[in-house]
Amino acid sequence: MLIALLPGDGIGPEVVTEAKRVLDALNIDGLTYEEAPVGGAAYKTLGHPLPPSTLDVARRADAILFGAVGDPDCDALERHLRPEQAILGLRKELGLFANLRPAKLFPELADASALRPEVATQIDMVIVRELNGDVYFGEKGHRTTATGLREGYDVMSYNEAEVRRIAKVGFETARARKGKLCSVDKANVLETSQLWRDVIIETSAEYPDIALSHMYVDNAAMQLVRNPGQFDVIVTGNLFGDILSDQASMCAGSIGMLPSASLDDGKKGLYEPIHGSAPDIAGQGKANPLATMLSAAMMLRYSLDLPEHADKIEAAVAAALADGARSPDLGGSMTTAQMGDAVLGKL
Ligand code: NAD
Ligand code: IPM
Ligand code: MN
């Protein structure tokens, strides 16, 4: 089975290196790897953030382990050449429409959360984020108003097929957990959200065993820090899911802890930490690699049918944390490589 390794920019290569060490330590038969440049790193060497050669590796692979893209040097480029277009392009080109972002607090990290420990320890949820539509992929541009003002615009839309397929993932995810699904939208203001809500309700007829609720996104942002334990599965659109998952990560201790899986309608997936390239700490050995290791565990579970190896990674991460392994984001002083050593020592 072929794994595409796309380290990317900033701390991306640093965290992917540690995740790869963990994968190597598992000695899994039949895994092969191909590495390719992506994001700013690819723009600087090959002139495009998602060069055809990289897209080709990603297409051929059974799964993709991705670091992060984003480089301040590239922020002034035309949009289609910016590093972030690489991850958007991969999601779209490969039909990776279902983004699972589990947020669970390792009990050892209760003191690392920005929330009071008794509130934080309740969090154990999955955000199911739609990844191929919404305002991210609508028509966008700049124009001049009738009175001569510069104006930017981005069109938000979802069609019913797009909502139905992510709704099913949301319901199925809830069915495999505690049976509670909360759909997050802004139906009090947005027509896109009204259609979203209508289709979620229609789809719920196929899932009478699931307790469905609806919440406006502003309230959901508040409830996530007031009482994160109330959520089992959240299903939401691309933009709201992006924002809420960064917020949920702080309930779980740090943005450096949250993994993700971006799945198509089969077994193929791209696996990445939810965080970005963190230019503010890149090259300093300060990045927490655990989210990327936990993403590798999700890859073993979802795309490679190796759940026992996924369990081993997750148990080793928990054991390292129990022993006191802490990178700076978790209130400690261990380097990225030392965090890797700590997990390897537990495998
Ligand atoms: P970011 O997630 O990169 O960083 C936000 C803050 O969290 C920073 O202070 C950073 O140091 C910290 N942080 C992030 N990951 C960490 C880790 N593993 N360990 C310790 N601390 C960590 O978000 P940003 O600063 O808004 O964006 C930086 C760049 O990354 C931008 O170019 C953005 O577009 C890009 N980005 C890419 C992805 C992706 O590739 N999927 C995701 C988010 C942001
Ligand atoms: C994420 C990131 C991306 C997104 C950016 C880099 C395009 O924030 O994966 O969470 O908005 O989806
Ligand atoms: Mn994000």
Side-chain angles (χ1 to χ4, degrees):
M1 277 172 302
L2 176 63
I3 295 174
L5 284 179
L6 309 185
D9 303 320
I11 64 170
E14 302 169 36
V15 293
V16 168
T17 296
E18 299 310 316
K20 174 70 164 43
R21 285 174 72 204
V22 166
L23 286 167
D24 288 343
L26 291 171
N27 272 320
I28 300 169
D29 274 344
L31 283 194
T32 55
Y33 296 88
E34 261 185 67
E35 187 171 326
V38 72
Y43 174 76
K44 285 172 178 171
T45 51
L46 299 170
H48 196 279
L50 182 57
S53 50
T54 298
L55 184 56
D56 177 59
V57 177
R59 279 194 204 286
R60 283 189 286 110
D62 298 286
I64 301 150
L65 187 62
F66 189 93
V69 288
D71 179 340
D73 292 353
C74 298
D75 284 346
L77 292 172
E78 280 179 72
R79 186 163 300 278
H80 75 278
L81 293 175
R82 291 196 206 168
E84 291 82 356
Q85 294 304 309
I87 185 64
L88 298 175
L90 283 164
R91 292 169 181 168
K92 193 77 172 174
E93 289 291 327
L94 302 178
L96 307 170
F97 70 93
N99 189 204
L100 308 187
R101 296 188 158 188
K104 187 173 158 72
L105 182 76
F106 285 89
E108 298 79 11
L109 290 181
D111 57 345
S113 173
L115 303 184
R116 287 200 313 279
E118 68 271 23
V119 177
T121 47
Q122 303 301 315
I123 193 170
D124 179 4
M125 63 182 297
V126 177
I127 297 180
V128 176
R129 171 193 177 196
E130 201 287 330
L131 217 49
N132 276 185
D134 203 355
V135 68
Y136 274 61
F137 292 100
E139 189 195 333
K140 58 179 77 235
H142 289 256
R143 59 194 170 201
T144 308
T145 68
T147 56
L149 296 175
R150 291 174 302 147
E151 184 172 76
Y153 64 97
D154 301 84
V155 176
M156 174 182 273
S157 71
Y158 267 122
N159 68 45
E160 57 179 315
E162 291 171 322
V163 181
R164 206 169 286 120
R165 69 176 180 174
I166 196 69
K168 285 178 190 274
V169 177
F171 282 108
E172 297 289 347
T173 305
R175 186 172 268 172
R177 291 174 50 95
K178 295 182 209 136
K180 280 172 63 181
L181 181 66
C182 179
S183 170
V184 170
D185 64 34
K186 188 73 186 170
N188 51 346
V189 178
L190 302 174
E191 288 307 323
T192 310
S193 281
Q194 187 59 57
L195 187 277
W196 174 279
R197 189 176 285 214
D198 293 347
V199 175
I200 296 277
I201 291 170
E202 287 161 25
T203 310
S204 71
E206 295 165 46
Y207 298 90
D209 52 319
I210 304 300
L212 173 66
S213 61
H214 305 272
M215 198 179 278
Y216 298 132
V217 63
D218 47 352
N219 185 25
M222 185 276 280
Q223 297 292 341
L224 259 181
V225 290
R226 189 186 77 87
N227 175 18
Q230 72 187 280
F231 297 108
D232 179 21
V233 179
I234 281 181
V235 63
T236 191
N238 206 342
L239 181 63
F240 299 156
D242 179 41
I243 297 167
L244 293 179
S245 54
D246 266 35
Q247 186 171 342
S249 76
M250 276 316 296
C251 307
S254 163
I255 190 159
M257 292 302 301
L258 245 64
S260 84
S262 305
L263 306 172
D264 68 6
D265 49 15
K267 280 236 137 315
K268 179 116 169 195
L270 180 151
Y271 299 83
E272 59 170 334
I274 75 153
H275 62 71
S277 57
D280 55 333
I281 58 165
Q284 302 173 35
K286 289 183 182 164
N288 179 351
L290 298 185
T292 313
M293 293 178 191
L294 295 169
S295 301
M298 291 184 87
M299 174 175 84
L300 295 173
R301 179 168 288 118
Y302 290 103
S303 285
L304 305 179
D305 285 325
L306 296 166
E308 65 287 3
H309 288 294
D311 290 344
K312 282 186 203 161
I313 295 181
E314 286 160 2
V317 167
L321 290 170
D323 262 12
R326 296 284 186 282
S327 42
D329 57 307
L330 299 172
S333 58
M334 283 171 60
T335 65
T336 308
Q338 286 169 337
M339 291 296 282
D341 294 341
V343 174
L344 283 170
K346 296 293 177 188
L347 271 181

